[in-house]
Amino acid sequence: MTRTGDTDLTAQSTSEARAEAAITAGVQGLLFEDDLRPMPEDVGFRGPTACAAAGITYRQLDYWARTGLVSPSVRPATGSGTQRLYGFRDVLLLKVIKRLLDAGISLQQIRTAIAHLSKRGIDDLTQITLMSDGASVYMCTSPDEVIDLLAGGQGVFGIALGGVWREVEGSLSELPTERADGHGEGDGESHASDELAARRRARMTG
């Protein structure tokens, strides 16, 4: 388990509070397991598409790119008229940031958490559950770590990155992609959205 913040914790004092947190954790599906695969690294999404999938504004996207919170990994802006392209992992992190902001986590804490997540391999992300008490953010990589946090009263809410991955995958399956070399999905060279749509249909049917 990794604690990503420096704020002191105030443990919940009653067993009822712990039980409620545990119930909430169960509802949110913190112990997520699924067969999730990354998209090709040379396929990305333009800024407006990334915003739509992550549920953020373009102003937020631009500010986070300029401050280095989440930068476009497929193709950065290199001059006037250049379109930034965000990879699947970038959009996943944007969605996580939105979730943490909605939960009242400070941007400073979020920056620390995202810095830790950015060091993880793409396969590792699906095995991580972010837990928070509203002040600090913890990265849990096993069911036992989640349970320990809840038992200690430190987990108020959690975000299973595997679940967020699946949500982003579903959103992007309906949106246009573009290759780093400038080709779009319409010219037959990039079929990432088709692949995402196929994965989504496979889960729904079976």
Side-chain angles (χ1 to χ4, degrees):
M1 181 194 313
T2 302
R3 178 181 175 183
T4 64
D6 298 317
T7 305
D8 292 337
L9 298 177
T10 301
Q12 293 177 338
S13 59
T14 66
S15 59
E16 288 82 7
R18 294 193 189 101
E20 183 178 351
I23 292 172
T24 301
V27 170
Q28 293 180 339
L30 300 186
L31 308 181
F32 188 91
E33 295 181 0
D34 204 344
D35 179 21
L36 300 173
R37 295 168 295 163
M39 284 176 50
E41 293 183 357
D42 65 339
V43 172
F45 305 88
R46 293 193 177 193
T49 301
C51 289
I56 62 174
T57 66
Y58 194 84
R59 183 176 181 180
Q60 288 174 310
L61 181 78
D62 185 60
Y63 176 69
W64 295 343
R66 287 188 288 107
T67 58
L69 181 57
V70 177
S71 300
S73 62
V74 176
R75 187 174 67 207
T78 56
S80 178
T82 303
Q83 290 286 345
R84 294 176 293 191
L85 285 183
Y86 289 82
F88 184 91
R89 178 195 178 101
D90 303 329
V91 181
L92 177 70
L93 293 179
L94 291 170
K95 184 78 168 181
V96 170
I97 294 170
K98 177 64 163 57
R99 289 280 184 84
L100 292 172
L101 284 174
D102 290 346
I105 306 300
S106 70
L107 192 57
Q108 180 181 359
Q109 290 289 331
I110 291 173
R111 286 187 181 279
T112 303
I114 294 300
H116 281 275
L117 290 177
S118 297
K119 297 175 183 178
R120 297 275 186 161
I122 191 71
D123 293 334
D124 293 340
L125 292 181
T126 62
Q127 306 302 317
I128 293 175
T129 293
L130 293 180
M131 300 289 293
S132 178
D133 60 349
S136 295
V137 180
Y138 301 83
M139 289 195 303
C140 299
T141 56
S142 72
D144 289 342
E145 290 180 349
V146 173
I147 293 170
D148 287 345
L149 274 178
L150 293 173
Q154 295 164 323
V156 176
F157 74 92
I159 302 172
L161 297 197
V164 179
W165 180 304
R166 188 165 59 183
E167 290 181 26
V168 171
E169 188 177 82
S171 298
L172 291 176
S173 67
E174 306 298 330
L175 297 172
T177 62
E178 186 173 317
R179 292 177 63 94
D181 59 12
H183 293 101
E185 64 174 345
D187 57 21
E189 293 200 34
S190 176
H191 300 283
S193 60
D194 291 340
E195 181 183 348
L196 291 174
R199 294 182 196 176
R200 187 182 189 185
R201 287 194 298 270
R203 289 198 182 94
M204 293 177 65
T205 58

